[in-house]
Amino acid sequence: MRRLSNTGASVISLLSMTSIVLTLACGSGNSQIRLLNASPGESALTASVGSTSIGTTVNYGTASSYITVTSGSAMLGVEAAGTTSLLINESITLNSSTYYTVLAGNYSSAINATILTDDNTTPTSGNVSIRIVNAAPSLGTADVYVLAAGSSLSIATATVSNLNFESASSYQSLSAGTYEVYFTQPGQKSAVIDSGPLTFTSQQIRTVVGLDGQSGGFETAVLSDLN
């Protein structure tokens, strides 16, 4: 019987290990995903990723809980609750071990899906993470101020400048406490959207969403991402 040399055995061992790594890397894995209804003409939405429901009767200005789905490519379907006519039907790709928010936004005539990648890494003790989403179609691009409650907007510096419609800011690390979130026209100091006082406790993660009001004006929604 012919024996392999040490070099040959090492090559086969390396190839075997590479095959195992590639097999693991190509495994489907899971993702976490939720639906945010930010389309002012839609009082409630239903959505699915592949054959998995990720939200049933998600009211305007609210989000479903995170749902576990198989990562990889899948079809996203969004319907008005109680109907079977797809408003959104598109392929999306989800990475393993990643959290996502499907922002179903814009007016009903132009409703679309924006896939936001969420970072739900627990903040350090005493701190919170806040992300801002501009989902108000009649607002357009905005400056956003996240200020300690009672602070003057007139002398403040924008926390986020020129936040486009259907865009999310980076996560802002803040000390736990009570804050107020203002959306203004770029370069202006007059609040178009005012969240009112919002209290955040240690190690929470929150997404604050600027929205059109369904009956006119504007409103905000606060999504509980973590804790």
Side-chain angles (χ1 to χ4, degrees):
M1 176 184 249
R2 183 170 178 264
R3 295 178 177 274
L4 288 172
S5 67
N6 289 339
T7 300
S10 297
V11 169
I12 291 176
S13 177
L14 179 60
L15 289 174
S16 298
M17 291 177 64
T18 301
S19 176
I20 292 171
V21 169
L22 288 175
T23 300
L24 292 173
C26 293
S28 56
N30 291 319
S31 309
Q32 302 291 323
I33 193 166
R34 64 182 176 179
L35 173 68
L36 166 61
N37 180 356
S39 179
E42 301 296 336
S43 58
L45 293 173
T46 295
S48 61
V49 172
S51 60
T52 303
S53 172
I54 64 166
T56 302
T57 314
V58 179
N59 294 323
Y60 180 67
T62 69
S64 64
S65 301
Y66 284 108
I67 300 295
T68 301
V69 298
T70 301
S71 58
S73 297
M75 292 302 297
L76 168 68
V78 179
E79 307 163 349
T83 75
T84 57
S85 179
L86 286 167
L87 300 173
I88 299 170
N89 185 31
E90 64 183 64
S91 178
I92 60 174
T93 300
L94 306 175
N95 294 327
S96 179
S97 303
T98 304
Y99 286 79
Y100 295 95
T101 297
V102 176
L103 166 62
N106 213 336
Y107 301 115
S108 296
S109 59
I111 190 170
N112 63 93
T114 301
I115 310 300
L116 304 176
T117 301
D118 305 342
D119 182 356
N120 285 348
T121 303
T122 304
T124 55
S125 181
N127 293 316
V128 299
S129 290
I130 308 298
R131 176 178 61 169
I132 311 299
V133 172
N134 178 358
S138 62
L139 176 61
T141 302
D143 287 347
V144 182
Y145 298 78
V146 182
L147 304 179
S151 298
S152 174
L153 178 61
S154 63
I155 59 173
T157 300
T159 307
V160 181
S161 298
N162 297 310
L163 184 63
N164 293 325
F165 172 55
E166 294 185 327
S167 293
S169 72
S170 58
Y171 287 84
Q172 310 294 315
S173 180
L174 304 168
S175 298
T178 301
Y179 294 87
E180 201 153 354
V181 179
Y182 303 94
F183 292 72
T184 74
Q185 295 296 327
Q188 304 298 311
K189 292 297 184 73
S190 179
V192 179
I193 303 177
D194 180 354
S195 70
L198 303 173
T199 299
F200 306 114
T201 60
S202 177
Q203 298 187 307
Q204 285 185 332
I205 302 176
R206 295 292 183 265
T207 295
V208 180
V209 187
L211 298 159
D212 277 18
Q214 286 192 295
S215 301
F218 297 95
E219 60 186 75
T220 56
V222 181
L223 309 185
S224 298
D225 301 356
L226 181 71
N227 297 331

